[in-house]
Amino acid sequence: MILCTAINHCICDGIGTSQFLHAWAHVITKPTVDLRILPFHSRHVLKPRDPPQVTHTHLGYTKTTFKDNNIHVDINQYLQSQPLVPTSFTFTSAHILRLKRRCIPSLKCTTFEALASHTWRSWVRSLDLSTTFKVKLLFSVNVRKKLIPEIPQGYYGNGFVLACTETAVKDLVTSNLHHGIKLIQQAKSSLTDGHVRSMIDLLEDKNVKTDICSSLVISQWAKLGLEDLDFGQGKPLHMGPLTSDIYCLFLPVVGNFGAVKVQVSVPECVVEKFEYYMMDGLDEEENGEQNGFI
């Protein structure tokens, strides 16, 4: 059985989608048992203020343009102008541990932070951009518990924002993972109640657009629990998007709790380089144990 869903992001985010699908599965398999999490329908908890109060700078919505010999450069436009090839990499727990060890000086970090830094760096390196360019990383962050007061449990609307960090190509590709991890952590820690509400007010202006001309966008699906859905016939053998895009997804790996699958499409002309940078050194045998890269 294949279950395919199409979700409009105006209605809910990934957490809300997971909540709905788990509730659907629960109703089918346990029709006499109450839902563990009831939906919270009051969407006004994230309404903009009147008048809007944009009190913070929001890098993800600031238009950045680059000039290379007086020619406008738009990385997103470049990506979309040529054939794209889907790529997919599975990082086991051992791979992720090795990535964290590449962070020098050592820095306590999450799996997402290490993998996002590595993917961003590999993506930029494969594109052979000018070292003076500034590139951005946009990534989704759940803010349900960052607001004051916290958003009630069961809220299924868009309870996330796009965090953003920016750096020069030279600083990202010539240093190890420490630089990218530090930037990601700073972007996450900046998402206070005031910062998030300032962003909500900013987005009330419908002329404001996400700045993707110089950005890699990463969406975290690996911790949504979608690989555990059971509609009565057992858990899925595979879970993932129907198609691949220039937006990067972190996906769960069915049957391997600590693993993460990274999926993103890149130009055909850079696939080999991107694969090399993503895989380089991670399959080397350590302590007599060989961990394959899938």
Side-chain angles (χ1 to χ4, degrees):
M1 179 178 73
I2 296 175
L3 173 65
C4 185
T5 61
I7 306 294
N8 189 319
H9 232 314
C10 293
I11 298 174
C12 59
D13 59 10
I15 292 175
T17 298
S18 177
Q19 180 182 322
F20 168 74
L21 292 175
H22 276 283
W24 181 10
H26 180 98
V27 168
I28 292 173
T29 58
K30 302 173 183 177
T32 62
V33 180
D34 292 339
L35 290 175
R36 187 173 63 86
I37 300 177
L38 294 175
F40 180 78
H41 297 295
S42 300
R43 307 175 74 86
H44 70 274
V45 294
L46 288 180
K47 69 178 181 180
R49 293 167 291 194
D50 187 16
Q53 302 170 41
V54 182
T55 55
H56 292 68
T57 300
H58 301 286
L59 274 177
Y61 302 93
T62 304
K63 188 70 172 179
T64 303
T65 57
F66 305 113
K67 296 289 183 178
D68 188 6
N69 295 327
N70 294 321
I71 300 174
H72 172 71
V73 177
D74 186 326
I75 300 173
N76 180 65
Q77 193 175 58
Y78 162 73
L79 294 175
Q80 299 278 22
S81 67
Q82 52 192 301
L84 296 173
V85 175
T87 64
S88 178
F89 310 90
T90 297
F91 290 83
T92 65
S93 297
H95 292 140
I96 293 167
L97 180 59
R98 291 171 201 168
L99 282 179
K100 291 181 178 181
R101 287 174 179 167
R102 291 181 179 182
C103 180
I104 303 171
S106 180
L107 189 64
K108 186 177 181 180
C109 62
T110 65
T111 292
F112 174 83
E113 291 162 356
L115 198 50
S117 176
H118 175 65
T119 303
W120 185 28
R121 185 170 180 264
S122 300
W123 182 78
V124 170
R125 292 174 77 187
S126 69
L127 294 176
D128 286 331
L129 301 172
S130 168
T131 57
T132 59
F133 284 1
K134 285 193 173 183
V135 288
K136 295 179 180 179
L137 176 68
L138 293 164
F139 57 97
S140 55
V141 176
N142 175 22
V143 296
R144 285 165 171 77
K145 294 187 178 298
K146 290 181 177 289
L147 297 177
I148 304 173
E150 294 182 359
I151 298 177
Q153 185 184 38
Y155 179 82
Y156 59 86
N158 285 294
F160 81 100
V161 298
L162 286 176
C164 179
T165 188
E166 180 182 48
T167 188
V169 168
K170 180 181 179 181
D171 295 333
L172 185 63
V173 303
T174 58
S175 61
N176 62 63
L177 292 185
H178 184 277
H179 181 68
I181 290 173
K182 194 72 175 176
L183 290 174
I184 292 168
Q185 291 180 340
Q186 290 171 349
K188 289 169 66 176
S189 63
S190 71
L191 294 176
T192 60
D193 176 78
H195 191 113
V196 172
R197 295 198 182 278
S198 173
M199 191 180 299
I200 292 171
D201 291 354
L202 173 72
L203 294 176
E204 186 65 6
D205 180 353
K206 302 311 175 188
N207 293 316
V208 171
K209 303 295 181 183
T210 307
D211 180 13
I212 58 174
C213 75
S214 60
S215 308
L216 174 67
V217 181
I218 297 178
S219 186
Q220 166 72 298
W221 289 19
K223 301 300 181 183
L224 297 178
L226 295 175
E227 71 278 16
D228 294 326
L229 278 172
D230 186 349
F231 287 87
Q233 299 297 320
K235 294 181 180 181
L237 299 176
H238 168 77
M239 176 273 150
L242 194 60
T243 60
S244 179
D245 205 337
I246 60 171
Y247 303 111
C248 180
L249 296 178
F250 285 6
L251 302 167
V253 179
V254 174
N256 193 336
F257 177 77
V260 179
K261 181 182 290 185
V262 177
Q263 180 173 307
V264 64
S265 289
V266 297
E268 189 174 14
C269 60
V270 306
V271 169
E272 289 188 9
K273 284 191 294 183
F274 182 59
E275 290 179 340
Y276 171 78
Y277 291 133
M278 288 290 281
M279 297 165 56
D280 186 28
L282 291 178
D283 278 331
E284 294 176 358
E285 190 170 342
E286 291 186 6
N287 300 322
E289 178 184 1
Q290 180 70 32
N291 293 283
F293 191 94
I294 301 172

